[in-house]
Amino acid sequence: MSTLSKGIDVKGSANEIVWKILGGTKFMDKEPVSGLDFLVVSAKGISKSSVENLAHVMDIPMKDMAALLNLSYKTLARKKKADVLNTLVSSLSIEIANTMAKGVSVFEDFDKLNRWLHKENKALNGQKPFDLLNTPTGIKLVNQVLGRIEDGVYS
């Protein structure tokens, strides 16, 4: 099965899956050729609609998405779908989408991935992976655990 529960075809490169998670052509006109394309987009800022797509894939309310992005919910709620977010929020959103893409390649299902994100994890000292996605360091740790699972190491 290549199309998963969120209507995203997960066949293709990691960059393509990230692009789809963030809204496809609504996020960026063309599929990214490399990670540098994401760098250019994050420098310009991504739209609120891309963050809404990410929240949908993660199956979380925008209130939780705002907390992950270190924004107040009121600030995020005030923005229109086309409004552009700042560079740091945009970059963090793209990194979270990268983690989701990696996770769905490991678990092969968004629902399984989302359940894993919300369970306490021994490899993370009992913390839930989801709770670490609000900082670059936390994202790196979650990605490391996903890599270990992908390699067949008990995590």
Side-chain angles (χ1 to χ4, degrees):
M1 175 168 65
S2 64
T3 302
L4 302 180
S5 60
K6 300 297 176 185
I8 294 175
D9 180 1
V10 296
K11 294 290 184 198
S13 70
N15 286 339
E16 183 182 346
I17 296 168
V18 171
W19 177 71
K20 290 173 182 176
I21 288 171
L22 291 169
T25 55
K26 293 177 189 171
F27 163 65
M28 190 188 313
D29 291 338
K30 297 183 290 189
E31 284 184 31
V33 176
S34 75
L36 291 174
D37 292 334
F38 292 113
L39 182 65
V40 170
V41 170
S42 70
K44 292 178 183 175
I46 68 171
S47 69
K48 177 184 175 184
S49 70
S50 290
V51 170
E52 289 174 335
N53 282 327
L54 178 57
H56 172 72
V57 168
M58 296 179 77
D59 200 23
I60 61 171
M62 286 301 283
K63 185 175 184 178
D64 291 350
M65 193 74 232
L68 276 185
L69 298 175
N70 302 300
L71 292 172
S72 80
Y73 175 64
K74 285 184 179 182
T75 298
L76 189 57
R78 253 193 313 267
K79 296 199 177 285
K80 295 178 180 76
K81 284 185 178 281
D83 285 352
V84 173
L85 303 168
N86 73 40
T87 303
L88 289 175
V89 170
S90 297
S91 181
L92 189 57
S93 299
I94 291 168
E95 289 307 313
I96 293 169
N98 266 306
T99 299
M100 293 300 291
K102 181 173 182 69
V104 80
S105 75
V106 170
F107 289 101
E108 300 179 344
D109 183 83
F110 281 109
D111 292 331
K112 288 178 185 174
L113 169 61
N114 284 325
R115 281 193 301 276
W116 178 82
L117 285 171
H118 293 279
K119 274 185 161 177
E120 293 176 356
N121 189 298
K122 285 184 181 182
L124 298 170
N125 284 342
Q127 295 183 77
K128 297 175 187 173
F130 178 85
D131 293 338
L132 303 179
L133 296 177
N134 65 339
T135 66
T137 305
I139 290 170
K140 182 179 176 185
L141 289 171
V142 171
N143 283 328
Q144 286 173 350
V145 173
L146 285 169
R148 291 176 62 189
I149 293 169
E150 189 173 39
D151 293 340
V153 177
Y154 176 75
S155 292

